[in-house]
Amino acid sequence: METSKSVRDIGIDFLKAIAIFGVIIIHTCSAGYSNPIPSFNWLSSVFFGSVVRASVPIFFMCSGALLLTPEKELPLSRLYTKNLLKIVLSMFIWALGYKAYHLIVAGTYSMHDIFQAFKEVLLFKQEFHLYFLQIMVVVYVFLPVTRIITKHAAKKELKYALAVWFLLGIVYPTVKPFWPVTLLSGIPVQWMINMTYAAIGYGLLGYYLSQYLISLKWSILFLVVGFLGVYGGTVFMSVRTETLYQNFLEGMSVCVALLAIGVFGLCYNLKSSIGGKTATVISKLSKASFCIYLVHVFWLYFFNFLGISVNGFPCLLSIPLISCLNLALSYCTFLFLSKIPLIRNWLI
């Protein structure tokens, strides 16, 4: 989401454009996980799911790079009456929209069903992908605190804070299912930072990398190691357990974090070479990314209604094709909704 009318950072736009397409791929390829393990279609689905697995963490990192810069003012009045209010309004209105869709499809229009839908929305039992907005509420509430850190901390202190976050918010959740960590009990079990609060660390990481850019060589290394860890670990453990093993696919896991660092560094290293029509396309896609995130699940449901499935033909082809179609239709939806001032200003 944009927070000011200042000059756009093409690096951030590039990251957001990649991330929103990645989110669509993640939700598209999930249908392919129903194929037998380790069939070609299943392996193809896990491959695409692994390549783009860092998409949501990248959104957190972009928010950090944009909102944690000390030079940019962010008074509490603007935070709560604009930034945070837009997140909350979007979350509840779109959650109601998805509830209405499910009621219409199910053909249940009783007052009891409608009341139940409203109650579930208020209790945050919302459409699955809206968890991102629920996390962003906490991330935004903590911005005045995290901005104090970025304003006063030196590079060495930022590295220390990130090391603590990485150990307790990324490494710990990754190794938690394995021996001997499974033997722990009592207070040490509570040392782990849960997913919501670990997202704050991703924001701090995005700010750090935007200020202290890693080299192109290191970016590629992080990207390759991260992807191999996500894909290889998921395939190995899934074959071993005979079911989809999702621990390595989680956003708060070591290899996904390495992948996010690699993608972030790569985009920032390449941003100086982006210009012309390419920059224009990237900028437009970035501006539309929030709306695309909100509406793309509607298009997934529409595809299912039409019988369009990634399992209809080889997933190696169907996943990117259906994802591209969804991206195009979601962007067209943005163009339409952005013509309505109230929706443009508060809901997308």
Side-chain angles (χ1 to χ4, degrees):
M1 295 179 60
E2 298 302 318
T3 58
S4 68
K5 295 183 180 179
S6 58
V7 177
R8 300 185 67 87
D9 184 335
I10 188 61
I12 294 296
D13 282 343
F14 194 17
L15 284 162
K16 290 170 67 176
I18 290 174
I20 193 57
F21 187 46
V23 167
I24 293 175
I25 292 176
I26 287 173
H27 295 153
T28 301
C29 71
S30 60
Y33 298 152
S34 62
N35 288 289
I37 302 172
S39 66
F40 180 76
N41 275 348
W42 183 86
L43 288 171
S44 299
S45 300
V46 175
F47 170 81
F48 281 113
S50 299
V51 168
V52 299
R53 189 50 57 173
S55 297
V56 172
I58 287 172
F59 274 124
F60 292 134
M61 294 168 73
C62 288
S63 294
L66 289 171
L67 296 169
L68 295 179
T69 304
E71 292 76 20
K72 294 182 179 179
E73 295 185 1
L74 186 61
L76 284 176
S77 57
R78 191 173 76 189
L79 174 63
Y80 276 87
T81 61
K82 183 178 180 181
N83 303 73
L84 190 57
L85 181 59
K86 182 173 182 177
I87 289 288
V88 173
L89 286 175
S90 299
M91 176 177 61
F92 283 114
I93 296 301
W94 283 97
L96 286 172
Y98 278 101
K99 288 293 185 183
Y101 165 81
H102 291 302
L103 289 176
I104 293 171
V105 170
T108 53
Y109 310 108
S110 68
M111 288 303 299
H112 175 269
D113 292 326
I114 294 174
F115 176 77
Q116 180 65 23
F118 271 99
K119 185 171 72 172
E120 289 180 359
V121 168
L122 293 176
L123 294 175
F124 297 94
K125 296 178 181 179
Q126 302 165 354
E127 198 65 30
F128 69 92
H129 69 305
L130 296 180
Y131 81 93
F132 172 74
L133 301 188
Q134 297 170 9
I135 292 178
M136 286 305 296
V137 169
V138 174
V139 171
Y140 273 42
V141 167
F142 269 83
L143 276 175
V145 178
T146 48
R147 283 175 58 85
I148 291 174
I149 296 174
T150 56
K151 182 177 182 179
H152 297 287
K155 180 179 180 181
K156 184 177 181 180
E157 295 164 332
L158 285 173
K159 290 172 69 174
Y160 177 80
L162 287 172
V164 173
W165 161 76
F166 192 77
L167 179 62
L168 299 180
I170 302 298
V171 176
Y172 200 155
T174 304
V175 301
K176 184 182 178 182
F178 300 103
W179 185 92
V181 183
T182 52
L183 303 178
L184 292 176
S185 62
I187 294 300
V189 177
Q190 301 178 41
W191 290 350
M192 184 180 71
I193 303 174
N194 68 30
M195 182 175 69
T196 297
Y197 290 94
I200 298 173
Y202 265 122
L204 190 62
L205 177 63
Y207 167 78
Y208 179 88
L209 292 176
S210 69
Q211 300 298 311
Y212 308 103
L213 181 62
I214 59 176
S215 68
L216 179 61
K217 180 176 68 175
W218 276 104
S219 299
I220 295 174
L221 180 62
F222 276 119
L223 192 155
V224 171
V225 171
F227 164 73
L228 292 176
V230 175
Y231 184 65
T234 301
V235 171
F236 175 79
M237 290 301 298
S238 296
V239 171
R240 185 177 179 180
T241 61
E242 299 182 344
T243 186
L244 177 66
Y245 189 83
Q246 301 189 52
N247 189 48
F248 294 113
L249 296 172
E250 295 294 337
M252 309 307 167
S253 60
V254 171
C255 293
V256 171
L258 296 180
L259 181 59
I261 293 171
V263 173
F264 195 100
L266 182 65
C267 289
Y268 254 66
N269 275 284
L270 296 178
K271 70 176 186 177
S272 60
S273 62
I274 301 173
K277 293 182 178 180
T278 301
T280 301
V281 171
I282 289 174
S283 179
K284 288 182 177 179
L285 194 55
S286 173
K287 290 179 181 178
S289 60
F290 185 53
C291 178
I292 293 172
Y293 189 93
L294 293 168
V295 306
H296 78 278
V297 174
F298 273 126
W299 287 112
L300 283 176
Y301 290 147
F302 182 67
F303 294 159
N304 290 335
F305 173 76
L306 295 179
I308 301 174
S309 171
V310 297
N311 295 319
F313 52 104
C315 290
L316 191 63
L317 296 175
S318 62
I319 290 173
L321 288 175
I322 292 175
S323 297
C324 286
L325 177 60
N326 193 325
L327 180 66
L329 291 172
S330 296
Y331 183 76
C332 289
T333 306
F334 163 75
L335 293 179
F336 172 75
L337 294 177
S338 63
K339 303 298 182 182
I340 307 172
L342 185 63
I343 295 178
R344 180 181 65 244
N345 294 331
W346 292 106
L347 301 180
I348 60 170

